[in-house]
Amino acid sequence: MSDIIKTQRSLAIKAKHNPTHKFDHLYRLICQEEWIHKALSLVLSNQGAKTAGIDGVTKKMLDAPEAYMAFIREVQQELREKRFRPAPVQRIYIPKANGKRRPLGIPTLKDRVVQMLLKMVLEPIWESDFLNCSNGFRPGRKTMDCIATLDSYINNRNKFYWVVEGDIKGAFDNVHHEILLKCLAERIADRRLLKLITCFLKAGLMENKLFQHNDLGVPQGGLCKALHKPPYAKWKAMQSKCKKSLKLLRFCPIYFA
């Protein structure tokens, strides 16, 4: 078992057994070469690694071992010296089934690696807080898990006969930065990590070679998934009051009741 997995399991156990614990000294983890190496490996294994951000760097440019290690050392040095600053994401559009276009934000390869580092350190903590009915952006879960659960509910024994599907319009575009950071601060005491996340939220975007500020929302397309902590408390209360007549399933930003 690698040291990374051991650390992640330790974080998960601590989060599970102490729901009010605030984690500190997390920033030093993402500065370790082993963590950066793992994060880069995960990013490069993604099909999207072939797509460049605004700096033009792609997976192919790191094929040489010397370039690969130089990239890791560069990320490590910038993080250690607190010089790392995320670049604006490249705004592109992809077609949707309804004829409209979905905006995506493509981060640089370096930013994707740092985002992966944040995911590696935050995911074990928040996995302990998520409700079992939530399936979106969670390891080992997918949309079919929601459908399989629905299938188990809709039968004569359980007597659930209606499915209400809802989709939060513009969910990613309307994420409030301050609220998200406040939710993160409920579990994270490491100010350096919170500052790094703030930098990503405020990085802005480039569209048609023009820079745009973003005081609201998070770009779709990056590796940092929205930590939708606020709705959980409300939905947990809803389940406790209506658990005999209502079951909730969720795949962000879509939900079924």
Side-chain angles (χ1 to χ4, degrees), residues 7 56-57 65 80 83 100 124 131 147 158 172 185 213 227 230-231:
T7 301
V57 177
R80 281 181 171 176
R83 292 189 293 107
K100 296 182 179 180
L131 295 177
I147 297 173
N158 290 317
F172 290 98
H213 289 283
L227 297 174

Side-chain angles (χ1 to χ4, degrees), residues 3 9-11 17 28 51 70 83 86 90 92 102 106 134-136 170 177 182 187 189 211 228 230:
D3 290 338
R9 287 190 176 183
S10 176
L11 292 172
H17 290 297
R28 61 180 177 81
T51 305
R83 292 189 293 107
Q90 180 69 53
I92 64 171
R102 183 188 305 278
I106 308 301
S134 296
N135 294 278
H177 294 174
K182 184 178 179 180
R187 276 301 216 172
F211 175 76
H228 294 78

Side-chain angles (χ1 to χ4, degrees), residues 179-197:
I179 294 177
L180 179 57
L181 290 168
K182 184 178 179 180
C183 293
L184 286 166
E186 292 179 4
R187 276 301 216 172
I188 307 301
D190 193 327
R191 293 185 180 182
R192 295 172 298 175
L193 203 74
L194 292 174
K195 183 178 179 180
L196 179 58
I197 295 172

Side-chain angles (χ1 to χ4, degrees), residues 27-144:
Y27 189 87
R28 61 180 177 81
L29 294 175
I30 68 172
C31 294
Q32 295 179 14
E33 183 176 322
E34 182 186 7
W35 282 66
I36 299 172
H37 193 288
K38 179 64 175 178
L40 178 57
S41 175
L42 291 170
V43 169
L44 294 182
S45 67
N46 192 302
Q47 186 68 23
K50 298 178 181 179
T51 305
I54 64 170
D55 62 354
V57 177
T58 63
K59 174 182 180 179
K60 188 174 181 60
M61 296 180 180
L62 302 181
D63 282 347
E66 297 82 5
Y68 189 94
M69 290 307 302
F71 184 89
I72 290 177
R73 287 192 292 268
E74 182 180 343
V75 173
Q76 184 180 38
Q77 187 172 2
E78 288 186 12
L79 288 172
R80 281 181 171 176
E81 297 176 0
K82 302 180 183 64
R83 292 189 293 107
F84 174 82
R85 293 293 181 272
V89 298
Q90 180 69 53
R91 171 59 61 86
I92 64 171
Y93 293 89
I94 60 173
K96 297 173 65 174
N98 59 7
K100 296 182 179 180
R101 297 192 304 166
R102 183 188 305 278
L104 294 182
I106 308 301
T108 65
L109 195 63
K110 183 188 292 184
D111 289 352
R112 275 175 261 181
V113 171
V114 178
Q115 288 180 11
M116 180 62 77
L117 286 165
L118 290 170
K119 179 178 182 290
M120 288 165 60
V121 76
L122 292 176
E123 191 170 70
I125 298 172
W126 258 268
E127 268 297 300
S128 302
D129 291 344
F130 289 159
L131 295 177
N132 192 47
C133 64
S134 296
N135 294 278
F137 305 131
R138 297 183 65 183
R141 299 205 183 203
K142 52 188 180 296
T143 51
M144 291 304 298

